[in-house]
Amino acid sequence: HLDVKNVAWLEEFLVSQTHKTSMIISHDSGFLDRVTTHIIHYEDNRKLKNYKGNLAMFVKRVPRAKTYYELSEENLSFTFPEPGLLDGVKSKGKAIIKMDKRTYQYP
């Protein structure tokens, strides 16, 4: 994460790079609006499609992409598979490893 001053510097730098390509991934839609000139979108048919313009222009052309400006629970779905047994372990009831007198301190 960058502070406001460094985001401003990065925006200015990216906009000044007129003959270079950058792949930018950000949750900040305002930042993307200001620095992008093309959006490459992963379409429903599993193909990449190039759209000229910034994020706001892209959303005008592809209205379903309006969710890129919103963050809600219905846009997010995480599912984790049920963990399987470890190699060589036949029972879920017995301890695999035991540790005593261990501490952890966040750096």
Side-chain angles (χ1 to χ4, degrees):
H1 296 285
L2 299 175
D3 61 22
V4 174
K5 181 181 175 184
N6 285 309
V7 169
W9 178 89
L10 183 59
E11 283 180 24
E12 186 178 316
F13 174 77
L14 290 170
V15 170
S16 73
Q17 303 302 304
T18 57
H19 298 296
K20 296 193 169 88
T21 299
S22 299
M23 182 167 60
I24 302 168
I25 300 167
S26 175
H27 66 278
D28 185 343
S29 54
F31 173 77
L32 291 173
D33 271 339
R34 293 184 294 274
V35 301
T36 56
T37 59
H38 292 76
I39 303 288
I40 299 175
H41 187 251
Y42 185 70
E43 301 287 318
D44 292 334
N45 62 0
R46 298 182 179 182
K47 302 275 184 187
L48 295 175
K49 186 171 181 184
N50 186 37
Y51 293 89
K52 188 173 182 170
N54 65 4
L55 184 61
M57 294 170 70
F58 168 67
V59 169
K60 285 180 186 174
R61 291 186 62 193
V62 183
R64 71 181 183 279
K66 185 178 181 190
T67 61
Y68 295 164
Y69 283 105
E70 304 162 354
L71 184 60
S72 69
E73 290 181 21
E74 62 191 49
N75 293 339
L76 300 174
S77 175
F78 296 105
T79 55
F80 294 97
E82 188 66 31
L85 291 174
L86 297 171
D87 288 339
V89 176
K90 296 182 173 98
S91 170
K92 290 185 180 180
K94 292 183 179 178
I96 298 169
I97 190 171
K98 185 176 179 182
M99 294 175 62
D100 289 324
K101 300 178 185 173
R102 300 291 181 247
T103 62
Y104 175 80
Q105 182 177 345
Y106 189 76

